[in-house]
Amino acid sequence: MQCCAELTPPTAVTHSLSFPFLSPTASNLIVAKTSLLQVYSLKSVLTETGSTRLFRRDLDDSTTKLVLVAEYPLSGTVTALGSVKTLTSKSGGDCLLVAFKDAKLSLVEWDPERYGLFTVSIHYYEREDLQGSPWAVDSSQSYNYLTVDPSSRCAALKFGTRNLAILPFRQAGDDLVMDDYDPDLDGEPPEPTSTTKLTNGNTSSSQTPYSSSFVLPLSILDSSLIYPVHLSFLHEYREPTFGILSSSAAPSLSLLHERRDVLTYSVFTLDLEQRASTTLLSISGLPYDLYRLIPLPPPVGGALLLGGNELIHVDQSGKTNGVAVNAFAKQSSSFGMADQADLEMKLEGCTIEQLDAENCEMLMVLNTGDLAILSFKLDGRSVSGVSVRRVAEEHGGLAILAGASCASPLGSGRMFVGSEDTDSVVLGWTRKSSQLTRRRSELQAEFDEDMSDEDDEDYDDLYASTAQDNPKKSEAGLSVGKSQTGDYVFRLHDALINLAPMRDLAFARPKAPPATKEKSGPSEPIPEVELVTACGRSRGGGVAVMNRELSPRIQKRLELPKAQGVWSFHVQSLAQRLQPSQTAKRDTSSGSVPAHGAEQFDNYVIISNGLTDGGEESMIYILTTSGFEELKDTEFDPAAGGTVDVGTLARGTRVVQVLASEIRSYDSNLGIAQIYPMFEDYEGVPPSIVSASFADPYLLLFLSDSTINLLEVDDRGDIDEVEREGDLLVNKWVSGSLYTDHKGVFVSENGGRKKGESTLMFLIDTAGALKGNADGSSKIYDLSRLGTAAYTAETLTFLPPTLSAEYTVRRSTARENVAELLVADLGDAVSKAPYLILRSANDDITIYEPFHYPQDVTNPGLLSSLRFNKIPSSTIAKTPEYATQDVVGDKQEPRKSPLRAMSNVGGYSTVFLPNESSSFLMKSASSKPRILSLRGKGVRGMSSLHTAMCQRGWIYVDVEGIVRCSNLPDNVNLTETGWVMKRILLGEEVHALSYHLAMESYVIATSEKVDWKLPEDEEHHEEWRYEDLPLKPKVDESSIKILNPLTWTVVDSYGLEPTELVLCMKTLDLEVSEHTHARKELIAVGTAFIRGEDLLSRGMIYVFDVIYVVPEPSQPETNRKLKLIAKEEVKGAVTALSTIGTQGFLLAAQGQKCMVRGLKEDGSLLPVAFMDMMCYVSVAKELKGTGMCVMGDALKGVWFAGYSQDPYKMTLFGKSSSNLEVMTAEFLPDGKHLYIVAMDADCNMHVFQFDPEHPKSLSGHRLLHRSTYHTGHFPASLTLLPSSSPPPQNSPPNAMSLDFIAPTSSPTPASQLLFTTQTGSLHLLTPLSEPLYRRLSALQTQLTNTLEHACGLNPKAYRAVETDGMGGRGVIDGKLLARWFELGSWRRREVAGRVGIEGEEGVRSDLRAVSGEVGLGFL
């Protein structure tokens, strides 16, 4: 009984597609990341040509950025994407066709009314009668692909071995729509009319955009289509026509002498009415290694056939033109081709996309990431030749670090290149011939309605191509002729960070920089443990450091035990405001532009301190280069009381201090400009001010009696009250916020005003938020037309998925206990937008995104089309208990620290949540809003801080009274995965990673591709000495390296022999002396010699120690070195290593044996026990200190064995009854039960149990197969973790990297499993108790039936796996449980009641136990 939760989403891009999706004129990019679908829009930002921080922009003055619109987790694995133009769609744009594994098709469109995906239909082709003969390959094991007709007349899905599903789409004027139309009798066809939409969202027409689909076996089209390779629809045909590559005999490299040119290219046209086809063209005798067909639009037309060694173009008449790109093309095929063997290219895994239609050129991305240009020579409409040329390195030819998985043209000289091995990038290019003529016209065209709806801001180009690093070389390349290599200059515009594939991981103690150590104290927010994983391939390889919480970089520390709040601000005189150029000379190294066009540092800090008598006083400090200095001899009065809030008004010339009973205004010299008393004429006990909201020139005050007061500053800086009437005087309000709508997000232009002129006031009625009455509401007021509410939403406190003024729910008391509302901007310099943020009484955060529907507003009323869409978030607040509510009449004890909006923290516009659940709300252009916890104690007060010492940072005081000036860590990503992530590129592929705790260093095993030659000293093959191949094969050359955790540089390296590849590496606690039995932490490495199938395999076992040495001059980090302790050559590859027993012995999987070895003092490894295995041992691990080990065979399943020391022997306890392709395995102890978790090659997770008392286990000889769970991601590693909290910082560490994690006394499970995947995602497997399993299982069932699932998929069917083993309880889908917060408050309580849990807090507690919030506290 376990639950599998997804900690981070996948990052590897598998498919992409560009087309107008949100509207007919939109430019959108659809990206699929295995089981995650993302919708992006494009935005162009101007880049400054004169900036020294940017590369030259003479070639292109704009940069294209990706802005995330929405993302959807899918209960399926995406295999293909296609766009279809239907007769009608909700948005007017094209529809998206998504193909999934196991022969599923989903047709979806964008619904502007709900601002999300709408599933039009889903089509299944999984029935047994469609699978062919009983011995045919299952559809899940075959390669399925989708192709769509360019005219959107139909789509074809090839599934199974030889099945083709055809899905026709209705078109205006065709027989599918007008079955009875006769042009001779009925005249001209009628114009298509728009479909009328009803109130329930359905259309008045009963017609679907598609007709009934049908399945055609390929053998019906042609009896020779026995082995299909690839197919695709072609351009410029009146009827749907597709080309197909196939063969009557299976292509085989080993039978090349018999099956040399066996492929055939055929063209068929489809009759959708008769469900028949006609053969138009057939060309036989094509090379055997062709694997893909690419349709080409005009003017080239025809199809491009892509092979491993050649490219062949076939036009509509059957004329062929080919080019060989290496010497093997001529040797393996007799097909006539032009010879360009000097290119020495390998086209396996190559991606090709249209580059320039006018010049008939295409961009090629090789599997190494190198770029090349494919050109067609046209003679009229006929292709007379094909040529290929590489892109030089100085022109951006190496801009992509690894191979690409997909490519999508974005227009205007832009292309998105997705990758599973490195970052996916937006690639741009320019040409010399069109440089001067395109500059202005391109910029004018790009800044259209969909791409320039936000203000342009300066943005540093962080992803620079090599071409821009050397502008002289780029300029030299531009002088080359039009057909030469220098014609194109490529550069990177944007990138989506990718952590895939995660090969290995290690846990380590982070090593703080020396500067941080000097400023740190015993309670500094430094993580105890960090997760480091090896990621990337080829030149994109490196390591990534990940943490669940944000550890700030402390710049200054001050202990003030009585501090309750802190505020920093910048104030300027009137003369400075009128002359902003005087301040423009200040330091601008932060890279961000201030509000008035000049860099303005904060100059004062106010700290509110508590007194012994229960009161408070406020102290003011001036900020200097050395820190804080208390400011005296001013009119600032500390005895005036505690500060509620501080802000600046009158365009930054007045500092406004909000006290409990009055408002004080100061000038630039801190002289009192005005004291505004609030309760002079109040009868009885006056209320107090509890919170405030600033929006120049307005100030909104909330009083303790739940009333509000609105003040305004005039042109002279004087504060006066704004007259109120109606609801503003009568109603009681719990919270609210002011927001200046600079970009017209809330206010429509038809409302009688221009964009950017409105300051809005958002309020929540106290009755609806706290008392549970049905008459509560939230209102929006326009302060320029104060009187009646411009917008009213009665159901905001129900937290519905989509909020509008018309939205209603049935009468219910299940309102959310909303404590605070804030409207603030979230985003970065590329994209910034306002969000409505709600904080509940238990510190849960709900985020709403505003949008408008319909877009063409005809009602002149303000905000008439405004709606809000809830942003999904699964973050659970740290504080589990609800905040106390001392309600006496209409009075309620307010929260001390409200949400704090900050306009620029490290380049982010963010919101901070103080108190116990201290967190940042952050968003980047390419991510959704994320909630990041701040490491350390709870926070009492927070404010942004911008000084020369702490630029674009923040200042905060925690519950211990420690004031810290902090910055965001350098070179970290905070938004892509929801974890704090820092990636270090090493330029090499990292195969294994380990951490040496005693020396505080990482040891990595890397490799790079080198040319391989046959050994010249082979006695039986003298002819090998004379080998002369023009294109030599590439092999991995490995090395063991020490990586310094401070500088992240390699400080020592140990090279291995040629063709020797590292397969495993572990940090082990081994016995180093037979006499003293002393043990030491050593690095064990297992390798294999990759020399081909005709030679015996062999491997090596290395044992290294990390020692101190004298460092290099001026390089103190080079004081560590690898010392070889032992080196043992063995028969067979060494595939797995582990410690075993209590004597410090080594367990090594070598070939078909698992052998226990002991390290002797002479450096040899003495074998003491062994066990024979079957085929290939993929994993071998021990349950620490028990002698029990699990071993996984790549073909024969899981083995459970034990090692005994007296006598030395290994005993088989049990093994799995079925044959599994085990990729990795691990123990999962749960109380008195012992489980073994294994991951297979089909992305399935199998849970076995060793129970010798069970009758079906045959006395333990058979492992009980308890459950199977489909993860959807290919596994990389499994690691057993203790569910714990971090120990005290002064606790002594043990030798093992996970032993310093001390168990906790909380009721969380004793162990958990963390596993990484090849798609870049992290998952956590948690064992559950019987009551918890039953509750979560019932909750999973309810959510499956209640939630709307993207693309119409079934989560239960996605996770279920058919097995022949013993049935058992399934694993709970934690990814589905995390969507609990998508429900409205009334639906949550309804579902909780059905499950049998009293209240939402019980569900929150259960979700916290399986989401890693508690179990992974050490991260």
Side-chain angles (χ1 to χ4, degrees):
M1 299 178 294
Q2 298 83 21
C3 177
C4 182
E6 184 181 84
L7 301 180
T8 63
T11 58
V13 174
T14 56
H15 302 85
S16 66
L17 190 64
S18 176
F19 65 97
F21 186 54
L22 301 185
S23 68
T25 59
S27 297
N28 299 118
L29 175 70
I30 311 298
V31 171
K33 299 178 178 179
T34 308
S35 60
L36 182 67
L37 191 68
Q38 295 179 320
V39 181
Y40 290 92
S41 62
L42 306 180
K43 180 182 179 182
S44 290
V45 296
L46 289 177
T47 50
E48 187 175 342
T49 57
S51 175
T52 58
R53 300 188 63 196
L54 302 179
F55 298 99
R56 286 181 59 89
R57 298 296 186 223
D58 300 50
L59 303 178
D60 194 353
D61 291 339
S62 65
T63 300
T64 299
K65 299 293 182 181
L66 298 178
V67 179
L68 181 67
V69 177
E71 67 178 19
Y72 301 91
L74 303 177
S75 298
T77 301
V78 178
T79 58
L81 298 175
S83 63
V84 178
K85 184 177 288 296
T86 59
L87 289 177
T88 58
S89 66
K90 293 178 179 293
S91 65
D94 295 353
C95 294
L96 175 65
L97 194 61
V98 188
F100 297 94
K101 195 178 179 181
D102 298 335
K104 294 186 184 71
L105 278 179
S106 291
L107 182 65
V108 298
E109 63 181 0
W110 184 258
D111 185 358
E113 184 177 0
R114 298 185 309 153
Y115 204 70
L117 285 184
F118 175 77
T119 303
V120 179
S121 63
I122 183 169
H123 308 266
Y124 293 84
Y125 304 99
E126 301 173 294
R127 302 195 309 270
E128 294 183 359
D129 58 333
L130 298 178
Q131 302 301 323
S133 58
W135 56 84
V137 179
D138 188 76
S139 61
S140 61
Q141 303 295 329
S142 59
Y143 177 59
N144 305 334
Y145 43 84
L146 171 72
T147 178
V148 180
D149 177 56
S151 301
S152 298
R153 290 167 291 194
C154 66
L157 174 68
K158 182 266 175 186
F159 67 97
T161 307
R162 303 176 187 90
N163 291 328
L164 191 65
I166 306 296
L167 178 61
F169 296 102
R170 304 184 189 274
Q171 299 293 318
D174 62 5
D175 295 336
L176 296 175
V177 177
M178 308 170 65
D179 294 334
D180 301 329
Y181 171 73
D182 189 339
D184 297 331
L185 300 177
D186 300 333
E188 294 294 328
E191 293 292 333
T193 58
S194 60
T195 304
T196 304
K197 294 186 179 181
L198 305 180
T199 56
N200 60 0
N202 298 326
T203 59
S204 59
S205 175
S206 60
Q207 266 189 346
T208 60
Y210 56 89
S211 300
S212 299
S213 64
F214 55 93
V215 177
L216 292 177
L218 291 177
S219 57
I220 295 181
L221 302 180
D222 194 324
S223 59
S224 62
L225 300 180
I226 301 177
Y227 296 96
V229 178
H230 196 251
L231 65 89
S232 182
F233 281 100
L234 304 178
H235 295 265
E236 297 184 293
Y237 284 92
R238 297 186 60 183
E239 298 293 334
T241 304
F242 66 89
I244 181 170
L245 270 174
S246 64
S247 173
S248 58
S252 174
L253 181 61
S254 59
L255 299 176
L256 187 59
H257 60 286
E258 298 180 2
R259 304 177 184 179
R260 188 177 179 87
D261 296 320
V262 296
L263 292 185
T264 301
Y265 171 70
S266 305
V267 178
F268 298 90
T269 183
L270 288 176
D271 188 339
L272 299 179
E273 292 184 353
Q274 302 298 327
R275 299 186 177 183
S277 65
T278 304
T279 304
L280 301 182
L281 180 68
S282 181
I283 300 176
S284 59
L286 297 175
Y288 80 100
D289 60 343
L290 296 176
Y291 64 90
R292 187 182 173 194
L293 186 154
I294 303 174
L296 301 179
V300 178
L304 179 67
L305 309 182
L306 176 61
N309 305 311
E310 65 280 322
L311 293 162
I312 298 175
H313 176 264
V314 183
D315 63 11
Q316 294 183 353
S317 63
K319 179 184 176 182
T320 61
N321 289 276
V323 56
V325 296
N326 59 46
F328 294 106
K330 296 290 185 179
Q331 299 178 17
S332 60
S333 175
S334 302
F335 191 83
M337 295 174 286
D339 188 7
Q340 282 191 275
D342 56 324
L343 294 174
E344 297 185 354
M345 288 183 178
K346 300 177 182 178
L347 301 184
E348 292 85 357
C350 176
T351 299
I352 301 181
E353 191 52 70
Q354 189 78 35
L355 182 67
D356 191 345
E358 296 180 358
N359 293 280
C360 308
E361 292 178 325
M362 305 184 75
L363 177 65
M364 302 172 58
V365 184
L366 306 183
N367 58 359
T368 59
D370 297 354
L371 302 182
I373 305 297
L374 172 64
S375 301
F376 298 93
K377 183 179 180 181
L378 293 182
D379 186 6
R381 285 297 307 272
S382 176
V383 176
S384 59
V386 181
S387 63
V388 179
R389 65 183 187 272
R390 288 183 179 270
V391 178
E393 179 180 354
E394 59 268 19
H395 294 153
L398 301 180
I400 302 176
L401 302 179
S405 59
C406 56
S408 300
L410 304 178
S412 302
R414 310 288 189 266
M415 181 181 295
F416 176 79
V417 180
S419 176
E420 299 182 66
D421 302 329
T422 186
D423 291 351
S424 300
V425 301
V426 176
L427 194 65
W429 62 88
T430 52
R431 301 194 63 166
K432 172 179 180 287
S433 59
S434 59
Q435 171 196 346
L436 298 179
T437 58
R438 284 182 63 241
R439 262 183 92 179
R440 294 186 179 179
S441 60
E442 181 184 278
L443 291 177
Q444 184 67 26
E446 286 180 346
F447 286 85
D448 56 9
E449 181 179 357
D450 296 298
M451 300 177 64
S452 62
D453 55 347
E454 298 183 20
D455 295 335
D456 298 314
E457 299 178 7
D458 294 342
Y459 187 72
D460 294 340
D461 192 349
L462 301 180
Y463 313 101
S465 64
T466 309
Q468 297 152 341
D469 286 331
N470 197 338
K472 293 183 179 180
K473 291 186 178 181
S474 300
E475 293 173 359
L478 291 177
S479 62
V480 184
K482 189 173 183 179
S483 61
Q484 300 301 317
T485 306
D487 206 10
Y488 288 96
V489 178
F490 293 89
R491 72 177 180 95
L492 301 185
H493 288 240
D494 201 1
L496 300 180
I497 290 183
N498 179 22
L499 297 180
M502 290 184 175
R503 295 181 176 272
D504 200 0
L505 65 83
F507 291 89
R509 281 189 182 275
K511 191 172 182 181
T516 304
K517 280 188 175 181
E518 295 175 1
K519 301 172 185 176
S520 63
S523 60
E524 285 305 302
I526 300 176
E528 292 291 336
V529 182
E530 62 185 8
L531 187 150
V532 183
T533 177
C535 58
R537 284 197 177 101
S538 188
R539 291 180 286 113
V543 297
V545 183
M546 304 181 68
N547 281 283
R548 291 181 60 252
E549 296 183 332
L550 174 62
S551 299
R553 187 159 52 93
I554 307 300
Q555 302 291 352
K556 191 69 178 177
R557 186 175 183 271
L558 182 64
E559 293 187 8
L560 296 174
K562 299 297 183 179
Q564 301 296 321
V566 59
W567 297 265
S568 66
F569 55 90
H570 170 83
V571 61
Q572 59 183 353
S573 64
L574 182 61
Q576 290 175 331
R577 183 176 65 83
L578 296 177
Q579 297 179 359
S581 59
Q582 295 179 1
T583 58
K585 300 178 182 179
R586 302 189 183 184
D587 181 27
T588 58
S589 59
S590 64
S592 56
V593 180
H596 300 289
E599 194 77 3
Q600 298 173 343
F601 290 134
D602 294 337
N603 38 23
Y604 299 106
V605 168
I606 293 179
I607 298 178
S608 183
N609 298 318
L611 301 177
T612 55
D613 58 357
E616 290 186 15
E617 66 174 0
S618 300
M619 305 297 297
I620 188 165
Y621 299 84
I622 186 171
L623 296 173
T624 63
T625 56
S626 59
F628 300 91
E629 292 183 7
E630 186 176 349
L631 192 61
K632 299 180 181 180
D633 299 331
T634 65
E635 296 182 7
F636 185 88
D637 185 11
T643 300
V644 176
D645 207 343
V646 176
T648 58
L649 295 177
R651 299 184 180 182
T653 60
R654 287 289 187 268
V655 178
V656 178
Q657 180 190 19
V658 180
L659 302 175
S661 58
E662 64 183 15
I663 308 297
R664 294 196 171 201
S665 175
Y666 301 90
D667 57 20
S668 59
N669 298 320
L670 295 184
I672 293 182
Q674 184 182 2
I675 298 179
Y676 188 88
M678 294 294 301
F679 314 109
E680 277 186 331
D681 302 330
Y682 196 88
E683 297 180 359
V685 180
S688 60
I689 302 174
V690 296
S691 63
S693 178
F694 290 85
D696 199 2
Y698 297 100
L699 172 60
L700 176 63
L701 302 176
F702 288 88
L703 309 182
S704 58
D705 59 355
S706 298
T707 59
I708 64 172
N709 203 328
L710 185 63
L711 307 179
E712 183 179 7
V713 177
D714 58 20
D715 295 337
R716 297 176 300 175
D718 295 334
I719 300 175
D720 199 2
E721 185 175 355
V722 179
E723 294 184 3
R724 294 168 290 132
E725 60 184 14
D727 293 342
L728 293 178
L729 292 174
V730 177
N731 287 11
K732 301 294 184 180
W733 311 97
V734 62
S735 182
S737 173
L738 296 179
Y739 179 78
T740 302
D741 192 9
H742 293 289
K743 301 176 182 177
V745 176
F746 295 101
V747 182
S748 61
E749 294 186 37
N750 292 352
R753 57 174 58 247
K754 298 180 180 179
K755 289 184 178 181
E757 290 185 359
S758 291
T759 299
L760 304 179
M761 180 171 59
F762 297 76
L763 296 173
I764 298 181
D765 192 295
T766 307
L770 299 174
K771 293 184 178 180
N773 297 336
D775 58 347
S777 62
S778 58
K779 300 178 183 293
I780 303 177
Y781 293 86
D782 183 9
L783 298 189
S784 63
R785 302 176 178 180
L786 198 59
T788 59
Y791 182 88
T792 301
E794 301 287 345
T795 57
L796 176 62
T797 52
F798 284 103
L799 306 184
T802 302
L803 176 68
S804 65
E806 299 81 14
Y807 188 89
T808 58
V809 297
R810 63 187 183 190
R811 187 174 181 87
S812 172
T813 60
R815 292 179 180 266
E816 183 68 17
N817 215 357
V818 177
E820 189 175 356
L821 175 146
L822 177 66
V823 178
D825 288 334
L826 295 178
D828 54 13
V830 176
S831 175
K832 187 186 305 180
Y835 289 85
L836 175 65
I837 303 168
L838 301 176
R839 180 180 62 82
S840 61
N842 57 8
D843 277 350
D844 278 344
I845 295 295
T846 304
I847 306 174
Y848 279 94
E849 178 184 14
F851 69 98
H852 286 271
Y853 179 83
Q855 296 290 340
D856 50 344
V857 182
T858 56
N859 187 352
L862 185 66
L863 306 173
S864 58
S865 62
L866 180 63
R867 300 190 178 199
F868 294 90
N869 183 44
K870 184 194 288 187
I871 304 297
S873 176
S874 58
T875 304
I876 306 176
K878 292 181 181 179
T879 307
E881 298 83 7
Y882 275 81
T884 58
Q885 300 180 24
D886 301 328
V887 180
V888 181
D890 292 337
K891 295 184 179 181
Q892 183 199 10
E893 185 68 21
R895 293 294 294 261
K896 177 64 178 178
S897 302
L899 294 171
R900 180 68 61 182
M902 294 178 285
S903 61
N904 193 339
V905 174
Y908 293 94
S909 293
T910 180
V911 171
F912 183 77
L913 169 66
N915 308 304
E916 294 299 325
S917 301
S918 53
S919 306
F920 278 102
L921 276 67
M922 286 190 170
K923 181 189 181 301
S924 66
S926 58
S927 74
K928 68 177 185 179
R930 305 282 189 183
I931 301 177
L932 287 177
S933 296
L934 179 66
R935 188 177 300 277
K937 305 291 183 179
V939 175
R940 293 175 180 170
M942 159 81 72
S943 177
S944 60
L945 182 66
H946 181 45
T947 64
M949 174 191 65
C950 185
Q951 296 191 23
R952 299 304 177 193
W954 70 92
I955 181 173
Y956 70 101
V957 54
D958 62 13
V959 293
E960 296 180 348
I962 301 177
V963 180
R964 297 181 178 91
C965 301
S966 309
N967 285 106
L968 292 178
D970 295 330
N971 304 319
V972 297
N973 186 282
L974 306 173
T975 57
E976 293 297 330
T977 63
W979 285 34
V980 180
M981 177 187 63
K982 178 177 181 179
R983 196 182 56 171
I984 299 94
L985 289 177
L986 300 177
E988 292 181 299
E989 191 166 340
V990 181
H991 294 274
L993 169 70
S994 189
Y995 179 69
H996 197 284
L997 179 62
M999 301 299 292
E1000 297 181 330
S1001 298
Y1002 296 98
V1003 181
I1004 58 175
T1006 65
S1007 71
E1008 57 180 351
K1009 297 290 185 180
V1010 295
D1011 291 336
W1012 184 76
K1013 293 183 61 177
L1014 293 171
E1016 299 180 357
D1017 56 351
E1018 181 66 32
E1019 298 179 358
H1020 303 287
H1021 298 277
E1022 295 184 0
E1023 68 277 8
W1024 288 1
R1025 304 176 184 177
Y1026 309 105
E1027 178 195 20
D1028 185 19
L1029 289 178
L1031 181 61
K1032 295 181 175 60
K1034 299 285 187 179
V1035 296
D1036 289 306
E1037 187 175 66
S1038 298
S1039 58
I1040 313 297
K1041 299 179 179 180
I1042 297 179
L1043 191 64
N1044 185 278
L1046 280 180
T1047 61
W1048 296 107
T1049 56
V1050 175
V1051 298
D1052 188 36
S1053 178
Y1054 182 91
L1056 302 182
E1057 298 183 23
T1059 73
E1060 187 177 9
L1061 182 64
V1062 175
L1063 299 182
C1064 55
M1065 183 174 65
K1066 298 292 181 183
T1067 302
L1068 305 178
D1069 190 25
L1070 301 179
E1071 182 183 278
V1072 295
S1073 175
E1074 302 173 72
H1075 306 289
T1076 63
H1077 302 290
R1079 300 172 71 165
K1080 193 174 184 181
E1081 186 179 6
L1082 301 173
I1083 305 294
V1085 181
T1087 68
F1089 289 87
I1090 312 300
R1091 300 186 298 171
E1093 300 176 357
D1094 54 341
L1095 298 178
L1096 292 177
S1097 62
R1098 61 187 181 94
M1100 299 286 291
I1101 301 177
Y1102 295 89
V1103 179
F1104 292 96
D1105 190 10
V1106 181
I1107 61 173
Y1108 283 111
V1109 294
V1110 178
E1112 297 290 335
S1114 68
Q1115 294 180 351
E1117 69 275 6
T1118 61
N1119 62 341
R1120 292 166 176 82
K1121 190 175 183 63
L1122 288 170
K1123 179 183 178 182
L1124 182 62
I1125 302 297
K1127 180 180 179 182
E1128 188 83 14
E1129 182 176 354
V1130 298
K1131 294 181 179 179
V1134 182
T1135 57
L1137 294 169
S1138 175
T1139 54
I1140 192 166
T1142 59
Q1143 295 178 320
F1145 284 178
L1146 170 70
L1147 174 64
Q1150 49 188 76
Q1152 294 176 319
K1153 293 182 182 293
C1154 281
M1155 190 169 294
V1156 179
R1157 293 175 175 269
L1159 178 62
K1160 300 181 66 176
E1161 294 182 354
D1162 59 356
S1164 61
L1165 294 171
L1166 177 66
V1168 296
F1170 72 95
M1171 174 175 287
D1172 288 322
M1173 301 297 292
M1174 298 296 290
C1175 298
Y1176 179 90
V1177 181
S1178 57
V1179 61
K1181 294 183 179 180
E1182 184 213 19
L1183 185 59
K1184 187 181 177 184
T1186 63
M1188 296 184 294
C1189 58
V1190 58
M1191 293 167 287
D1193 194 286
L1195 295 175
K1196 298 298 183 180
V1198 179
W1199 292 33
F1200 176 46
Y1203 164 73
S1204 61
Q1205 302 172 0
D1206 191 14
Y1208 295 124
K1209 67 174 182 179
M1210 295 190 69
T1211 305
L1212 179 64
F1213 293 153
K1215 59 181 180 180
S1216 59
S1217 58
S1218 58
N1219 295 332
L1220 296 176
E1221 298 180 55
V1222 179
M1223 297 291 101
T1224 182
E1226 183 58 277
F1227 287 102
L1228 182 60
D1230 182 17
K1232 296 182 179 180
H1233 303 283
L1234 180 61
Y1235 296 95
I1236 297 175
V1237 179
M1239 312 283 290
D1240 67 9
D1242 293 327
C1243 305
N1244 299 325
M1245 178 174 62
H1246 303 266
V1247 180
F1248 299 93
Q1249 183 183 4
F1250 177 70
D1251 186 4
E1253 298 180 359
H1254 197 283
K1256 292 188 177 182
S1257 68
L1258 303 179
S1259 300
H1261 293 289
R1262 175 179 295 178
L1263 297 176
L1264 301 178
H1265 197 171
R1266 288 303 188 187
S1267 59
T1268 305
Y1269 178 86
H1270 183 69
T1271 64
H1273 306 275
F1274 196 86
S1277 68
L1278 266 173
T1279 305
L1280 179 64
L1281 300 177
S1283 178
S1284 62
S1285 300
Q1289 189 164 354
N1290 54 4
S1291 61
N1294 194 288
M1296 297 304 295
S1297 60
L1298 288 181
D1299 288 351
F1300 50 80
I1301 302 176
T1304 180
S1305 58
S1306 62
T1308 54
S1311 300
Q1312 293 175 302
L1313 279 184
L1314 180 70
F1315 65 92
T1316 62
T1317 65
Q1318 297 281 357
T1319 59
S1321 60
L1322 283 175
H1323 300 256
L1324 183 69
L1325 184 67
T1326 305
L1328 307 176
S1329 62
E1330 179 69 21
L1332 180 58
Y1333 178 84
R1334 291 185 177 183
R1335 293 196 301 268
L1336 293 182
S1337 180
L1339 179 61
Q1340 176 182 249
T1341 302
Q1342 292 295 326
L1343 292 179
T1344 301
N1345 300 328
T1346 303
L1347 289 171
E1348 180 180 356
H1349 307 288
C1351 298
L1353 300 173
N1354 186 355
K1356 185 176 180 181
Y1358 175 56
R1359 301 301 185 186
V1361 180
E1362 295 183 3
T1363 60
D1364 298 331
M1366 174 182 176
R1369 295 181 172 182
V1371 177
I1372 302 296
D1373 186 0
K1375 183 179 178 180
L1376 178 61
L1377 296 181
R1379 298 183 60 192
W1380 157 265
F1381 295 95
E1382 296 182 18
L1383 298 174
S1385 59
W1386 82 99
R1387 297 300 298 271
R1388 292 183 196 173
R1389 298 195 182 182
E1390 180 183 342
V1391 171
R1394 294 176 183 175
V1395 173
I1397 303 176
E1398 296 183 2
E1400 296 183 34
E1401 185 56 32
V1403 179
R1404 295 175 73 256
S1405 178
D1406 292 345
L1407 295 180
R1408 188 182 295 109
V1410 299
S1411 62
E1413 295 290 336
V1414 178
L1416 296 180
F1418 49 84
L1419 287 177

